[in-house]
Amino acid sequence: MAESNQLVTFQLGEELYGIDIMDVKEIVRVQDVRAIPNAPNYVEGIFHLRSEIIPIINLHKRFHLKKIAVSEEDELLSGFVILDIDGMKLGVIIDKVSRVVTIEKEEIQPPPQMVSGIGAEYIQGVVRQEHGYLIILDIRDLFNPKELQKLAALRR
């Protein structure tokens, strides 16, 4: 029996990305984010979600991606993907949530060396699709342990 993954897909800049659905807590609309002094430049700030303080990460800044202009209609689909990385919740800003897809393991190919600014070390694999590629992010590799400690400290 083929193994499959369910991925939450979203647009970030020009590309379509996917994250394992088991790592996604929820998707929320853009909220007011409070800036934090002395935070790394890719940290937009923090926001409160049901009495939890969640750091918000801007992957555009982290990977030097261009933000795309989104229509008003698509703006309704922008927001934060709330991730759970080994018990720590983080929010990632997305341009537009797409949908949940099921991908068979054998469809996943190793990542090319450079994919639009995001280094291969952050990518679990790519899946060829009708209109380009779906890039599967490895959220545990997006942040090294030191960065995660810094982000955890922001929540206090």
Side-chain angles (χ1 to χ4, degrees):
M1 190 171 118
E3 273 192 70
S4 61
N5 283 8
Q6 279 202 306
L7 304 173
V8 173
T9 64
F10 55 89
Q11 196 162 357
L12 200 59
E14 299 288 316
E15 305 288 343
L16 190 64
Y17 294 91
I19 293 178
D20 191 310
I21 198 166
M22 299 310 288
D23 294 324
V24 175
K25 279 284 157 229
E26 61 188 299
I27 297 169
V28 295
R29 296 216 7 130
V30 172
Q31 316 261 332
D32 281 340
V33 174
R34 208 175 71 213
I36 300 179
N38 303 324
N41 79 327
Y42 58 84
V43 175
E44 280 298 300
I46 54 174
F47 90 104
H48 287 267
L49 180 66
R50 292 185 291 283
S51 78
E52 274 192 278
I53 295 173
I54 300 185
I56 298 297
I57 307 302
N58 185 328
L59 291 180
H60 294 91
K61 287 182 182 168
R62 170 81 196 223
F63 297 121
H64 311 290
L65 300 174
K66 274 201 177 95
K67 204 163 167 47
I68 53 166
V70 288
S71 65
E72 268 181 52
E73 191 181 305
D74 284 350
E75 209 157 278
L76 298 173
L77 299 171
S78 69
F80 308 140
V81 174
I82 307 299
L83 304 173
D84 188 328
I85 302 179
D86 305 323
M88 184 179 143
K89 290 200 179 89
L90 285 178
V92 174
I93 298 171
I94 59 169
D95 288 339
K96 178 179 161 185
V97 68
S98 188
R99 60 200 171 108
V100 174
V101 296
T102 301
I103 300 291
E104 300 304 323
K105 283 250 182 354
E106 66 268 5
E107 291 179 79
I108 300 172
Q109 301 170 352
Q113 277 314 299
M114 219 32 203
V115 182
S116 69
I118 291 190
E121 66 269 25
Y122 306 117
I123 299 172
Q124 219 169 327
V126 293
V127 177
R128 183 169 294 199
Q129 295 194 308
E130 253 178 78
H131 307 291
Y133 287 95
L134 167 62
I135 301 166
I136 303 168
L137 292 177
D138 187 335
I139 63 158
R140 279 165 186 73
D141 287 341
L142 281 181
F143 306 100
N144 66 40
K146 265 193 181 137
E147 289 174 312
L148 286 174
Q149 281 177 334
K150 274 186 190 161
L151 294 171
L154 296 176
R155 297 167 47 202
R156 293 188 190 92

